[in-house]
């Protein structure tokens, strides 16, 4: 069972709170590190949620990360963890030092929030526990909101079932020239899906579905033990949110999903959700504002990058109505999906999102979204076959959001999405029930890191989607991530894919590139290499676009 917010604040974050106000951790003295029997920094380091003057840092002390009790091989006693932030990787020009207390209440993790840094620059950081120094991480601050900013580069990713394959995509991501990584959910899976990893041995503690705090902690440890993922965390600051598998497949607010039967009882599901949220907070570079309170966790928030971009991270799980007409694919006879009292965001989050359209002056307004917003009909014939879990099951919210963006004069709205294990590039229309409805925004859906196995360039699902949805301009079903470069005139979107993930060390290439022009909603294919398109960001792949 997860702890209450009061207990977490009392026992789990005293060090971080002290660091926030500039004092030494806990105030009452240092807590000595034990004699380490393994590497206490086995799960690496991370940073996240950067602002123009600071960032949150993260690590977990776990000398035995797969210990079946989920405690990482740590004893009961708290441990003082020191950190340093410097201009250089040799730490000769240190700009911030501090300490935080790692306690068992939060799995011996720390989340110090560092303030007073210079805007728009890179920093290096590291931790120390006793005599052991962590790997070095690199992070950066954002340009101040509104400051003229020439360029931004980031990548987004989602869906990384450990049993499905190797995290090869992160090997390549960590070598990219990026300012930020955005993770759109399914960072862990509550149980083993798509078992295809070559040479895989599943240890006993990973065989059952995660339903409690030790189980979820072990799933995060399993993911973070992967060196490519640790490298990507150490290379860039991250923005993270969740989708369904951090808790239970296709869960919706207080309604459990399709998982372990006994935890479909509402009271038991709330306890399960609290455990899942606590484990997520423990293992991600999240600020104290995201500290869960039992079965609730505040994850929708904004990130500004100068005058160029604002990323609005959504939460499409905690506040949604249950899926329309049952949880599955739905047809034209499902009138429930149009009901105006149904929501995927909840009223407060929806109002907050829409109000942001008015307040933001950024050139590009970006929505970090979990499930497909654009209409996705899987029936190429006269019928209709839509997914109830996506925005197709919540038409009123979709119309409200896209209509408000138009009515409030959003200059450029781009939605980035995960979940589908496919790459899409699509136009978004204000109202899909009206064939003459204008294109008002663009959506790029990124494929999975591993989920779904090796995948294919095109498959039957892709052929059906392209045939049934004229607004969908591109489809690909390989594994990888999406790389984005934007300036004041154009958004460039590169679909980066690997040919296989069942075995390690696959090469990567850019399968296709699509652009959005300033003030021109909708996606268009970028010019191929050798055409007069100007300098290219990345290398385009040799294949032709499926039609």
């Amino acid at each position: 069972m997860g702890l209450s917010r009061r207990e977490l604040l009392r026992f789990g974050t005293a060090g971080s709170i002290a660091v926030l106000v500039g004092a030494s951790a806990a105030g009452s003295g240092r807590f000595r590190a034990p004699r380490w029997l393994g590497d206490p920094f086995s799960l690496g380091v991370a940073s996240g949620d950067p602002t123009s003057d600071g960032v949150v840092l993260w690590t977990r002390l776990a000398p035995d990360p797969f210990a079946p009790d989920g405690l990482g091989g740590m004893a009961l006693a708290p441990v003082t963890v020191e950190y340093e932030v410097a201009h250089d990787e040799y730490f000769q020009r240190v700009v911030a030092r501090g300490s935080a207390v790692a306690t068992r209440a939060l799995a011996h993790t720390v989340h110090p929030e560092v303030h007073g840094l210079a805007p728009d620059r890179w920093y290096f950081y590291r931790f120390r526990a006793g005599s052991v120094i962590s790997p070095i991480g690199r992070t950066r601050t954002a340009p101040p909101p509104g400051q003229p900013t020439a360029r931004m580069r980031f990548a987004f990713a989602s869906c990384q079932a450990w049993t499905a394959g190797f995290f090869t995509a992160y090997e390549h991501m960590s070598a990219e020239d990026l300012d930020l990584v955005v993770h759109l959910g399914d960072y862990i899976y509550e149980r083993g899906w798509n078992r295809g990893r070559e040479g895989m041995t599943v240890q006993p503690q990973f065989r059952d579905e995660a339903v409690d705090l030790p189980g979820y902690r072990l799933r995060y440890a399993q993911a973070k033990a992967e060196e490519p993922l640790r490298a990507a965390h150490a290379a860039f600051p991250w923005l993270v949110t969740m989708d369904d598998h951090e808790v239970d497949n296709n869960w919706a607010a207080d309604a459990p999903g399709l998982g372990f039967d006994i935890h479909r009882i509402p009271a038991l599901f709330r306890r399960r959700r609290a455990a899942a949220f606590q484990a997520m907070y423990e293992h991600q570079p999240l600020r104290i504002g995201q500290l869960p309170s039992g079965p609730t966790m505040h994850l929708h928030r904004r990130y500004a990058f100068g005058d160029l971009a604002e990323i609005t991270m959504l939460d499409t799980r905690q506040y949604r109505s249950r899926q329309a007409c049952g949880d599955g694919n739905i047809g034209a006879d499902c009138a429930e999906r149009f009901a105006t009292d149904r929501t995927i965001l909840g009223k407060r989050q929806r109002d907050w999102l829409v109000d942001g359209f008015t307040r933001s002056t950024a050139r590009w307004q970006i929505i970090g979204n979990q499930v497909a917003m654009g209409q996705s009909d899987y029936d190429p014939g006269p019928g209709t076959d839509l997914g109830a879990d996506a925005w197709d099951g919540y038409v009123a919210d979709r119309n409200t959001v896209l209509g408000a963006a138009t009515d409030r004069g959003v200059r450029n709205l781009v939605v980035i999405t995960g979940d589908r294990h496919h790459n899409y590039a699509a136009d978004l229309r204000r109202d899909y029930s009206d064939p003459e409805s204008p294109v008002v925004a663009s959506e790029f859906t990124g494929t999975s890191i591993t989920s779904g196995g090796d995948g294919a360039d095109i498959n039957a699902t892709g052929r059906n989607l392209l045939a049934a949805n004229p607004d969908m301009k591109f489809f690909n079903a390989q594994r990888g991530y999406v790389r984005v470069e934007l300036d004041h005139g154009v958004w460039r979107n590169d679909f980066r894919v690997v040919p296989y993930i069942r075995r390690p060390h696959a090469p990567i290439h850019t399968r296709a590139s699509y652009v959005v022009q300033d003030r021109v909603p909708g996606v268009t294919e970028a010019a191929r290499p050798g055409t007069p398109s100007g300098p290219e960001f990345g290398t385009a792949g040799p294949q032709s676009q499926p039609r």
Side-chain angles (χ1 to χ4, degrees):
M1 181 185 296
L3 296 174
S4 70
R5 183 177 177 88
R6 177 176 294 179
E7 289 170 322
L8 290 172
L9 284 169
R10 179 182 176 192
F11 298 113
T13 62
S16 295
I17 294 170
V19 169
L20 283 172
V21 299
S24 62
S28 60
R30 302 177 60 80
F31 298 95
R32 183 172 297 177
R35 181 179 178 183
W36 300 115
L37 300 179
D39 179 7
F41 299 107
S42 62
L43 302 182
V45 300
S47 67
D49 278 27
T51 64
S52 59
D53 78 335
V55 68
V56 58
L57 306 179
W58 173 91
T59 195
R60 179 187 177 190
L61 303 180
D64 183 8
F66 298 160
D69 60 6
L71 296 175
M74 292 295 293
L76 177 63
V79 177
T80 296
V81 180
E82 300 169 289
Y83 69 87
E84 292 182 315
V85 180
H87 286 308
D88 64 301
E89 60 188 311
Y90 302 105
F91 292 84
Q92 295 178 344
R93 293 182 293 156
V94 174
V95 297
R97 286 191 176 97
S99 60
V101 176
T103 71
R104 177 175 280 198
L106 285 175
H108 286 90
T109 62
V110 293
H111 301 73
E113 298 184 26
V114 184
H115 299 281
L117 303 180
D120 195 16
R121 69 163 298 153
W122 287 95
Y123 290 92
F124 297 87
Y125 63 93
R126 64 185 179 184
F127 296 91
R128 181 195 297 268
S131 61
V132 180
I133 298 175
S134 75
I136 294 171
R138 188 182 70 144
T139 192
R140 67 159 296 156
T141 51
Q147 175 177 293
T149 303
R151 187 192 72 177
M152 179 185 184
R153 288 174 168 175
F154 70 94
F156 64 91
S158 62
C159 304
Q160 51 198 50
W162 184 89
T163 55
F166 290 86
F167 290 7
T168 306
Y170 285 126
E171 292 180 21
H172 301 287
M173 184 189 290
S174 62
E176 300 272 16
D177 178 13
L178 305 173
D179 298 302
L180 183 74
V181 171
V182 179
H183 200 284
L184 296 171
D186 292 349
Y187 188 97
I188 62 163
Y189 278 63
E190 75 281 21
R191 62 183 177 91
W193 296 77
N194 308 119
R195 294 172 182 254
R197 176 184 279 239
E198 188 176 85
M200 176 178 60
T201 299
V202 179
Q203 299 180 43
Q205 63 267 44
F206 296 104
R207 291 176 184 165
D208 295 330
E209 184 172 338
V211 295
D212 56 16
L213 187 55
Y216 286 113
R217 284 172 169 172
L218 283 165
R219 296 292 175 180
Y220 281 98
Q222 184 183 50
K224 286 181 172 292
E226 294 294 300
E227 193 281 331
L229 178 58
R230 296 200 310 275
H233 269 297
F236 315 109
W238 285 42
L239 293 179
V240 300
T241 187
M242 66 178 170
D243 193 14
D244 55 337
H245 288 290
E246 284 87 354
V247 181
D248 184 22
N249 186 28
N250 281 16
W251 66 279
D254 289 332
L258 307 175
F260 196 65
D261 285 346
I262 190 173
H263 286 83
R264 301 183 73 178
I265 300 170
L268 293 179
F269 179 68
R270 286 192 293 271
R271 184 167 66 179
R272 178 180 184 178
R273 204 171 81 172
F277 288 1
Q278 181 175 332
M280 179 183 177
Y281 176 81
E282 289 172 347
H283 290 87
Q284 296 288 25
L286 292 167
R287 293 181 179 271
I288 199 168
Q290 281 63 64
L291 181 70
S293 178
T296 63
M297 187 176 188
H298 186 95
L299 284 170
H300 56 283
R301 59 206 193 279
R302 293 188 174 95
Y303 166 78
F305 197 85
D307 69 342
L308 190 57
E310 183 175 83
I311 301 177
T312 301
M313 298 292 282
L314 296 184
D315 176 352
T316 61
R317 287 291 159 192
Q318 285 193 79
Y319 315 111
R320 65 158 65 195
S321 309
R322 294 198 71 166
Q323 290 84 352
C325 301
D327 188 3
N329 281 24
I330 52 179
D333 59 342
C334 180
E336 186 183 356
R337 73 188 189 95
F338 295 100
T340 56
D341 61 345
R342 289 179 43 74
T343 179
I344 194 170
L345 297 176
K347 183 181 186 303
R348 291 181 65 183
Q349 183 181 196
R350 184 181 62 239
D351 291 348
W352 168 83
L353 170 62
V354 168
D355 288 346
F357 291 156
T358 302
R359 292 197 303 270
S360 176
T361 59
R363 178 65 55 94
W364 300 91
Q365 292 201 37
I366 307 163
I367 294 179
N369 171 55
Q370 290 75 62
V371 293
M373 183 175 287
Q375 182 165 291
S376 303
D377 185 358
Y378 290 85
D379 187 345
T384 303
D385 186 10
L386 305 169
D389 192 58
W391 288 71
D392 278 333
Y394 304 86
V395 173
D397 262 12
R398 179 169 65 193
N399 291 351
T400 296
V401 169
L402 294 177
T406 305
D407 295 341
R408 301 193 180 206
V410 173
R411 180 166 177 157
N412 298 293
L413 180 64
V414 180
V415 179
I416 59 174
T417 299
D419 179 63
R420 286 288 175 88
H421 311 170
H422 300 144
N423 288 311
Y424 305 162
D427 299 340
L428 292 178
R429 294 188 182 273
R430 178 168 182 159
D431 182 355
Y432 285 92
S433 65
D434 176 6
E436 303 302 318
S437 183
V439 174
V440 297
S442 311
E443 182 173 23
F444 294 102
T445 299
T447 189
S448 60
I449 294 292
T450 59
S451 303
D454 287 342
D457 183 58
I458 185 71
N459 56 23
T461 297
R463 293 186 187 94
N464 290 341
L465 283 167
L466 290 169
N469 302 278
D471 290 321
M472 186 176 292
K473 310 302 183 184
F474 174 75
F475 175 93
N476 167 270
Q478 292 171 292
R479 307 284 76 84
Y481 56 90
V482 179
R483 183 179 64 186
V484 177
E485 180 177 21
L486 57 150
D487 58 28
H488 284 84
V490 65
W491 166 299
R492 182 185 176 97
N493 195 93
D494 293 332
F495 293 105
R496 302 280 280 163
V497 301
V498 295
Y500 53 84
I501 48 85
R502 292 178 183 271
R503 60 188 192 276
H505 308 308
I508 197 164
H509 71 280
T510 300
R511 171 60 185 85
S513 299
Y514 277 75
V515 299
V516 181
Q517 301 289 342
D518 179 34
R519 293 188 184 276
V520 184
V523 304
T524 56
E525 187 174 10
R528 301 279 181 176
T531 60
S533 61
E536 187 186 19
F537 178 43
T539 303
Q543 301 100 320
S544 61
Q545 178 188 347
R547 298 293 183 185

